[in-house]
Amino acid sequence: MHTRVKDQIQENQTSMEKYTINHLRELEAESIFVLREVAAQFENPVMLFSGGKDSIVMFHLARKAFFPARVPFPLMHIDTGHNFDETIKFRDELAESTGTRLIVKYVQDSIDSGRAVEEKGPNASRNMLQTVTLLDAIEEEKFDCAMGGGRRDEEKARAKERFFSHRDDFGQWDPKNQRPELWNLFNGKKNVGEHFRVFPISNWTEMDVWQYILLENIEMPSLYYTHEREVFQRDGVWLAKAPFMELKPGEKVEKRKVRCRTIGDITCTGLTLSAADSLEDIIQEVAISRVTERGGRADDKRSEAAMEDRKKEGYF
């Protein structure tokens, strides 16, 4: 074979090797495609943002999807008033540093107006009350699409949901009446008053998220890394001490080194005893864990179908 031809073949093989991608880049491309579909099909979308790892990754993907322009939709946080201070601080700093519009709606306002009734007792949580505040916010701001960071591997109810999840004019979800999404064709058709929930990272796993965070060097709230905190144990789950957390008889507060695997309302967020203080350590910890990511979430333990019941009513 001619020497020049051999050289060209070798050069082509080298070039092809540069274009090989791993599964994280495939997931990234899929999510970016979904985000661009949202921008194309809906008039007034919003991205739900809690300050947790999934919503941070989703926002990072949105910035990549529309670069060099700014993200063409606002962020919205449904604030229970019972959040970790570190989460709120990170949320505000991220919105300010990226020049993104941030909308904050408060569960306390729903309680004060009589739209929601606060639970009482040591197991009280405002987590379920977020549904009222969220649906009121969607109606008030006239959003026709709300994007969330839910993933199918998190919980069995979330595993049932499509990328584009239709909500009726009451904000409710019907798990038995969902639209097919063959060949990644998404149907965003809706009637007046209806809206969609869209989940761009549906196909990601907890491991995918952490590996992507490491790959992209994405900044995370300090809560995800080991730190010393006053905690107490309830029903086998470590919970953080807070002024609104009512202790039961026999429960004792102690200092432990813990971190969060998933972040939500303090009243329902279980903490993990951990020494992981780097992304590499977290990935290793997730790899050997035999407890699911939401295994410590108290709100998922209220009934066998707790998450599905909440989602039918309009929850995230």
Side-chain angles (χ1 to χ4, degrees):
M1 188 180 294
H2 197 280
T3 303
R4 182 177 295 178
V5 175
K6 286 183 178 180
D7 292 342
Q8 185 63 49
I9 291 174
Q10 290 177 352
E11 183 180 340
N12 289 342
Q13 288 175 340
T14 303
S15 298
M16 286 299 292
E17 289 173 0
K18 293 180 182 178
Y19 284 100
T20 57
I21 61 174
N22 60 26
H23 75 288
L24 294 176
R25 292 306 181 196
E26 291 178 353
L27 289 170
E28 177 188 67
E30 178 184 61
S31 298
I32 286 176
F33 173 73
V34 174
L35 287 162
R36 289 172 177 166
E37 280 291 300
V38 168
Q41 294 198 38
F42 297 102
E43 295 181 5
N44 190 25
V46 66
M47 179 171 283
L48 301 176
F49 188 84
S50 66
K53 69 180 186 309
D54 297 321
S55 57
I56 292 170
V57 165
M58 183 172 60
F59 179 59
H60 179 84
L61 290 164
R63 294 181 69 192
K64 295 189 77 169
F66 302 104
F67 183 83
R70 289 185 178 179
V71 175
F73 36 74
L75 302 179
M76 182 166 71
H77 182 210
I78 306 301
D79 191 336
T80 64
H82 290 171
N83 297 288
F84 290 96
D85 293 337
E86 297 92 330
T87 306
I88 301 302
K89 183 174 181 289
F90 186 93
R91 176 201 72 186
D92 294 341
E93 290 178 350
L94 182 64
E96 183 178 357
S97 65
T98 59
T100 306
R101 180 187 171 206
L102 173 65
I103 301 170
V104 182
K105 298 294 184 179
Y106 297 95
V107 170
Q108 186 63 53
D109 291 340
S110 299
I111 296 171
D112 293 342
S113 65
R115 292 278 296 150
V117 178
E118 188 160 21
E119 297 178 355
K120 304 296 182 183
N123 291 320
S125 173
R126 290 184 174 184
N127 199 52
M128 293 181 66
L129 305 187
Q130 292 179 90
T131 300
V132 174
T133 311
L134 173 62
L135 293 178
D136 287 348
I138 289 173
E139 184 175 359
E140 178 186 345
E141 300 285 345
K142 294 181 171 51
F143 292 126
D144 57 356
C145 170
M147 289 166 279
R151 308 187 324 269
R152 292 187 176 121
D153 80 313
E154 287 184 281
E155 204 274 339
K156 54 194 174 186
R158 287 180 168 169
K160 295 181 180 180
E161 230 163 355
R162 304 285 195 263
F163 278 105
F164 276 37
S165 184
H166 177 263
R167 296 297 196 270
D168 63 21
D169 51 359
F170 293 102
Q172 296 177 327
W173 172 59
D174 182 359
K176 296 182 179 180
N177 184 24
Q178 299 189 74
R179 299 174 182 180
E181 292 181 342
L182 303 175
W183 307 292
N184 277 356
L185 295 176
F186 304 122
N187 183 356
K189 184 178 180 181
K190 57 181 173 34
N191 297 318
V192 175
E194 299 175 344
H195 72 277
F196 274 79
R197 306 287 173 83
V198 173
F199 305 96
I201 62 171
S202 283
N203 285 339
W204 297 50
T205 65
E206 181 186 11
M207 179 63 81
D208 294 331
V209 170
W210 282 115
Q211 289 180 334
Y212 186 74
I213 290 168
L214 176 62
L215 179 67
E216 293 285 293
N217 193 28
I218 303 173
E219 185 179 356
M220 288 284 117
S222 59
L223 287 168
Y224 283 113
Y225 303 95
T226 186
H227 59 284
E228 195 170 70
R229 180 179 292 273
E230 288 188 314
V231 297
F232 62 95
Q233 197 169 42
R234 176 177 296 171
D235 299 329
V237 176
W238 291 100
L239 297 173
K241 177 190 174 184
F244 44 81
M245 294 292 283
E246 182 180 336
L247 296 180
K248 295 181 179 179
E251 292 179 339
K252 296 180 180 179
V253 175
E254 54 187 292
K255 283 191 175 182
R256 288 292 189 107
K257 285 190 174 182
V258 296
R259 74 174 191 88
C260 293
R261 284 181 68 183
T262 176
I263 297 177
D265 191 304
I266 290 178
T267 60
C268 62
T269 299
L271 302 171
T272 301
L273 298 179
S274 173
D277 57 2
S278 69
L279 290 174
E280 291 84 356
D281 289 343
I282 291 173
I283 290 171
Q284 181 65 26
E285 188 178 87
V286 170
I288 64 175
S289 177
R290 292 296 176 265
V291 179
T292 63
E293 180 182 0
R294 294 184 66 95
R297 287 293 292 264
D299 51 332
D300 290 350
K301 300 177 183 296
R302 293 196 169 198
S303 71
E304 183 66 24
M307 174 64 82
E308 183 162 330
D309 292 340
R310 294 200 304 274
K311 289 181 74 65
K312 285 179 181 178
E313 294 172 0
Y315 186 72
F316 309 114

